[in-house]
Amino acid sequence: MKVSYHGHSVVKIRSNGKTVLIDPFITGNDLTDLRADEQSPDFIVLTHGHGDHVGDTVDIARRSGALVIAVNELALYLQHQGIEAHPMHIGGSREFEFGKIKFTQAFHGSGLQQADGTFLYMGMPAGVLIMNEGKTVYHAGDTALFSDMKLIAERHPIDLAFLPIGDNFTMGPEDAAVAAEFLQAKITVPIHYDTFPPIRQNPADFVSRVQNGSGRVMTVGEVIEL
Ligand code: NI
Ligand code: MN
């Protein structure tokens, strides 16, 4: 698997000859090196329904024909927009051409605000495990720290973990460092920081807090080969 980071929570995985784009928030994301109109993934995986995660999903999926994989409520909402989407839910796993995906719990929200100010429920927010050829990538989505991260790692030893460190909406660096201890990933990469003023952080400071030595700041566009 080749895994690259593209600012905020955007992660791209190349696996089994397929491209998987996670949380493609590109338009309006000043940190990303990607252009939405240049993306032609085979699959788009969404952790939850917030705008800074769904991002350009509808435009990219319409143009490229990518299959969107998301929790049931969000997937059905996207199907209604004319997008091909596969509904799953937390605890469920399934094989696709890129490998296996499993949705895990996250403590967060997932409402999508409508033009009239009301919110549409997009189901539970989630994290995802993506597994292929004995390697496992964990993208935590937006979440608080929770102790069952230990259980996730016990069931699925993690090679590469992406953890939000921005604080305010998600874990901050201190809690994310505890999450890294719980997860015991071989490599732990901070995400979801610096995009907006309330989530400004020093990722090097986070890395220095990770006691198991797995912390690593990925620059935008950097690739890790597992
Ligand atoms: Ni969110
Ligand atoms: Mn977010």
Side-chain angles (χ1 to χ4, degrees), residues 146-158:
F146 57 92
S147 59
D148 275 349
M149 285 177 174
K150 288 181 191 167
L151 180 62
I152 293 171
E154 189 183 303
R155 290 279 298 112
H156 306 282
I158 297 164

Side-chain angles (χ1 to χ4, degrees), residues 23-24 44-48 53-54 57 68-71 74 78 103:
D23 286 356
I44 296 172
V45 170
L46 299 178
T47 62
H48 63 293
H53 297 261
V54 175
T57 293
V68 181
I69 305 170
V71 298
L74 179 52
L78 290 168
F103 279 84

Side-chain angles (χ1 to χ4, degrees), residues 128-169:
V128 289
L129 292 159
I130 295 192
M131 300 167 263
N132 190 36
E133 294 171 343
K135 302 291 183 185
T136 298
V137 176
Y138 173 55
H139 187 300
D142 281 359
T143 187
L145 173 64
F146 57 92
S147 59
D148 275 349
M149 285 177 174
K150 288 181 191 167
L151 180 62
I152 293 171
E154 189 183 303
R155 290 279 298 112
H156 306 282
I158 297 164
D159 294 279
L160 174 56
F162 290 97
L163 302 182
I165 66 157
D167 216 344
N168 194 83
F169 300 109

